[in-house]
Amino acid sequence: MSMREVATPSFEGQKPGTSGLRKKVTVFQQPGYLESFVQAVFDCAPELQGGTLVLGGDGRFFNRNAIQTILRMAAANGIDRVLVGQGGILSTPAASAVIRRHRARGGLVLSASHNPGGPDGDFGIKYNIANGGPAPEAVTEAIYRRTQTIRQYRIVDADPVDLDQIGSRKIGTMTVTVIDPVDDYAMLLGGLFDFDAIRALLARKDFRFRFDAMHAVTGPYARRLLVEMLGAPASSVVNAVPLEDFGGGHPDPNPVYAPELYKAAVLDGELDFAAASDGDGDRNMILGKGIAVTPSDSLAVLAANATLAPGYARGISGVARSMPTSRAPDAVARALKIECFETPTGWKFFGNLLDAGRITLCGEESYGTSSDHVREKDGLWAVLFWLNLLAARPGETVLSILQAHWKRYGRHYYSRHDYEAVDAGQATEALNQLRAALPALPGQKIGGLVITAADDFAYRDPVDGSESKGQGLRVICGEQARLIARLSGTGTEGATVRLYFELYEADPAKQADDVQTRLQPLIDFAEAQTGLRKITGRAAPDVIT
Ligand code: G1P
Ligand code: ZN
C-alpha cells in the first residue's frame, strides 16, 4: 500500500455556502478539485485521525467516483474506519443518524440537495461533525482558508471498493464497512412515532395517501418505513428508484417542482395526504386535500401538537426557526411558554441549540423541519410526524388541523419569491439599494402598516457567543408583517435573490386562502425599494413558493 503526496493547485472559490461546497459536476471533475477540498477538510479535522468517518451521498452522478477517491484519501490521512452506505447511498438525515449512533468523529455527505443532477448538473460535499450536524461556520471558514493555501493531497493506491457488498474490507490499515443505509435511521424513527396508530390510518380505505420520492434518495427509506414497516401499499410510494440524474427532474419538494403531486392533492382533491422529499432526503412538502401546508406553518403545527407523538410526549424544550421563516412558530412558543430562537438561514445554526437542549424542534421556510433526534433536517421524519398527528386526531383532515391552528394562533400568510441565475452584479445592486434605504425606513408605511425596524440581520449564537453578520435584510412592521431579502448561498449559477413576505392575520373570518393578493403591498414595496425587476429586466420571479 503506497501513500503518495500529489501536487495540486489551490482552487479558487472552494468556499462552503449555506450547506457545504456546491458546484457543477464539471467543476468537481477537474483533476485535483475534489481532492484539494477533501484534503482541506482532513487538515482542519484532526479529530478524524484514528477515528471513524461516515461517508455517503444522495446517489447523484459522480457520487460513486467521489466515494472511491475519498476512501483512498481517508486511508492516506490516518482515518481508522469508514462507514459507507451501500451503493454509496446515505440520505442527509440518515448520515446524521449513523454518525451519532456509531459515535463517528465526523462525516462527509455528498449531495447538492435539491439542485438538479447528472453530468451537467450539480454536485456537492459537506463536512458534518461528531454531533451529526453540519460543521459550524468557524470550521467551514477554516476549511476555506486551507483550500487557498493547499499545495498537495495525500492518497493511497488501492483497488476500488465494492460499494454494493455489505461487509468490511481493508484499504491498508483502514477498515471500510459498507452498511445498510436505512437500518439505523429506520430504527431511530421507529422509536419516535406511534407506528401502530399510523399503520391503522394507512390501512383505512378512505385515507388516500401518496409519497413522491422524486427519483431521489428517499425511495429506499420511504419503502422501508412506509411500505414494509407501516403497511402502505407499494403503489403509494412513487418515483422510488433513485436515479443519478433524478430522472432529469428538479428534486425539490414544492408546488412548482412537484406539480403532479400538487395537482392531485391540492387542485383535484384526490389525495387526503401527500408528501414529497428532495434529492438528499432532508426536505419535505406536506399537502392535504385542497391545501398545501406552508413549511413555517408545518413547524408551528408540529410544535403545538408535539406531545401527540410518543417521542415528544414529555413536551418540547424550545423551538428555533431561521430568520426568513414566518413567525408562526413564535406564536406557539409563547403559548407553550418555551423559548423560540431566530437563527440565520442554514441548518448549521441549529446545532448548538440542539446540543445544549435549548430546543427540541426547528425548521426553515425552505421545506425543512426536524428535531433533536438528528442534527439535520429530516424529510421523512416530518411526514411520519404528520401521519402520527392525523392518526391521533381522528376525524380531522390536514385542512381542518390548519384551520383550527390559525383560529387559535392567527394565520401568518407567507410566500417566498426567487429570482434565479441573476447577474451577480445586478443582484448586488438591487440589494445594496435596499440596504442603503434601511436607516430611513422606520416610520414609513407599507399599505397601512408602520415599519418599526429595518436592518441587516446579525446573529449572536446564545451557546458559544459566535457572531454571524450580513444574514439578510429585514423590514419589519411590528408583529404584523415582514419583508426579507437575501442572496442564496447554495446556487451554482450567477446569483439567486430570495424575497420573503409575511403578513399576520388574527381574525379567523379574514383567513381565506388568497396568499399572493394579501401579500401584494409587501411585494410592491420590495420592488420599489430594490428595483430588482427593473435592474434585471425580469417581469416576475422564477419560482414562487
Ligand atoms: C437554501 C434554503 C435554506 C436551506 C439551504 C439548504 O439556502 O434557503 O433554508 O438551509 O438551502 O437546504 P439558500 O440557497 O437560501 O442559501
Ligand atoms: Zn436537501
Side-chain angles (χ1 to χ4, degrees), residues 18-19 283 345-346 364-366 377 416 486 488-490 498:
T18 313
S19 188
R283 294 186 174 200
T345 296
E364 297 192 89
E365 53 67 40
S366 51
K377 57 193 176 221
R416 180 175 110 182
R486 60 178 282 279
S488 157
T490 58
R498 304 203 194 285

Side-chain angles (χ1 to χ4, degrees), residues 223-353:
R223 276 203 175 134
R224 172 82 64 84
L225 283 157
L226 297 167
V227 179
E228 291 170 31
M229 294 169 72
L230 288 164
S235 60
S236 64
V237 177
V238 301
N239 300 324
V241 178
L243 299 175
E244 283 201 330
D245 65 349
F246 309 120
H250 196 145
D252 201 1
N254 62 43
V256 177
Y257 292 123
E260 284 170 24
L261 193 72
Y262 181 81
K263 181 171 181 297
V266 181
L267 304 180
D268 298 344
E270 288 166 1
L271 298 166
D272 298 292
F273 183 78
S277 192
D278 72 329
D280 60 330
D282 59 356
R283 294 186 174 200
N284 73 91
M285 173 174 70
I286 303 292
L287 306 173
K289 186 179 167 189
I291 184 83
V293 183
T294 304
S296 308
D297 277 349
S298 179
L299 174 62
V301 168
L302 296 185
N305 293 277
T307 52
L308 296 178
Y312 308 93
R314 282 177 302 150
I316 54 176
S317 63
V319 290
R321 59 164 174 81
S322 67
M323 182 273 283
T325 303
S326 97
R327 293 177 289 183
D330 306 38
V332 175
R334 271 196 298 278
L336 294 176
K337 299 192 168 51
I338 55 174
E339 281 189 294
C340 179
F341 298 88
E342 180 175 53
T343 61
T345 296
W347 210 260
K348 56 183 173 244
F349 294 100
F350 294 134
N352 277 346
L353 296 167

Side-chain angles (χ1 to χ4, degrees), residues 121-142:
D122 290 353
F123 190 74
I125 178 165
K126 185 171 70 160
Y127 181 58
N128 281 24
I129 57 174
N131 73 354
E137 253 189 1
V139 177
T140 56
E141 284 298 320

Side-chain angles (χ1 to χ4, degrees), residues 106-153:
L108 285 168
V109 184
L110 308 178
S111 168
S113 187
H114 50 287
N115 295 12
D120 301 320
D122 290 353
F123 190 74
I125 178 165
K126 185 171 70 160
Y127 181 58
N128 281 24
I129 57 174
N131 73 354
E137 253 189 1
V139 177
T140 56
E141 284 298 320
I143 293 169
Y144 175 51
R145 281 196 300 277
R146 182 71 189 126
T147 64
Q148 294 169 311
T149 58
I150 206 153
R151 293 285 174 272
Q152 58 216 9
Y153 63 85

